[in-house]
Amino acid sequence: RILGPAQACADERVHRHLLWAAQLLGVKHPPRLMVTPALPTVALCGWWRPCILVPFDLCDRFAPGEVRGIFLHELAHVRRKDVLWTWLALLASALHWFNPLVWLMMRRFRADRELECDRIALALLSEPQKRHFGEALIKTLESHQWPALAAVVPFAHQKPEILTRI
């Protein structure tokens, strides 16, 4: 609800790309797809019943190969249960809010988590598909539509991390 109204994704192209990525990664139960106008790119939400939030114009802004790479990355988060681990890390940060080392650890944790999901996705992609995935990262970096919501501030400050990922 923080990210605005979301509705089930009705775009069959998006569902086909998700199913392709789920089959390639071995995810038996892909998350629900929800469309939201509040994000410029794809994001995973929830750990008990995860869903993938997609922008309403995902297939217009990203090529099919880019969407597939993005979904492989997001499904790697699902398979690794990254949302749950992130919540546990946030709990540790809340308990040790006064310790600057915990905040440095959180930043490194987030960056390493993204690099590992990139590694998993890239390991499953062919050379041309790897290029598409890199192009999707560049498009994400170039997006100037970051919302000014507290819930998505970590996404907005990832320029150095995205450059490292590329």
Side-chain angles (χ1 to χ4, degrees):
R1 300 236 184 247
I2 291 173
L3 296 174
Q7 58 189 25
C9 179
D11 190 334
E12 194 57 40
R13 297 172 300 172
V14 177
H15 284 279
R16 277 196 311 270
H17 294 315
L18 178 65
L19 292 176
W20 175 88
Q23 183 179 21
L24 191 60
L25 197 56
V27 174
K28 291 183 180 7
H29 304 288
R32 298 171 295 144
L33 285 170
M34 302 294 288
V35 176
T36 178
L39 289 177
T41 190
V42 178
L44 181 66
C45 179
W47 66 273
W48 185 255
R49 289 182 25 188
C51 72
I52 295 179
L53 302 172
V54 298
F56 67 94
D57 60 347
L58 179 70
C59 286
D60 296 332
R61 289 191 302 115
F62 293 95
E66 295 168 349
V67 174
R68 287 178 172 193
I70 290 168
F71 280 149
L72 275 175
H73 174 94
E74 294 305 321
L75 289 174
H77 283 300
V78 171
R79 194 171 81 181
R80 291 169 30 91
K81 299 185 183 353
D82 280 344
V83 174
L84 175 61
W85 288 110
T86 299
W87 278 105
L88 292 173
L90 286 170
L91 176 63
S93 297
L95 294 173
H96 296 278
W97 60 268
F98 51 86
N99 187 343
L101 292 177
V102 171
W103 293 102
L104 290 172
M105 182 263 328
M106 275 297 293
R107 182 180 178 122
R108 190 72 251 154
F109 169 76
R110 283 193 303 265
D112 288 347
R113 177 189 65 201
E114 295 305 318
L115 286 171
E116 180 60 16
C117 289
D118 288 345
R119 187 198 62 76
I120 290 168
L122 289 169
L124 297 170
L125 295 172
S126 67
E127 287 304 316
Q129 291 170 325
K130 289 177 183 180
R131 180 175 174 84
H132 291 303
F133 184 62
E135 290 168 355
L137 289 174
I138 290 169
K139 283 182 182 179
T140 300
L141 181 63
E142 292 174 343
S143 176
H144 297 285
Q145 303 174 22
W146 295 109
L149 298 170
V152 293
V153 166
F155 294 113
H157 294 291
Q158 287 185 345
K159 186 173 181 176
E161 285 85 1
I162 291 175
L163 288 173
T164 299
R165 290 168 62 190
I166 292 169

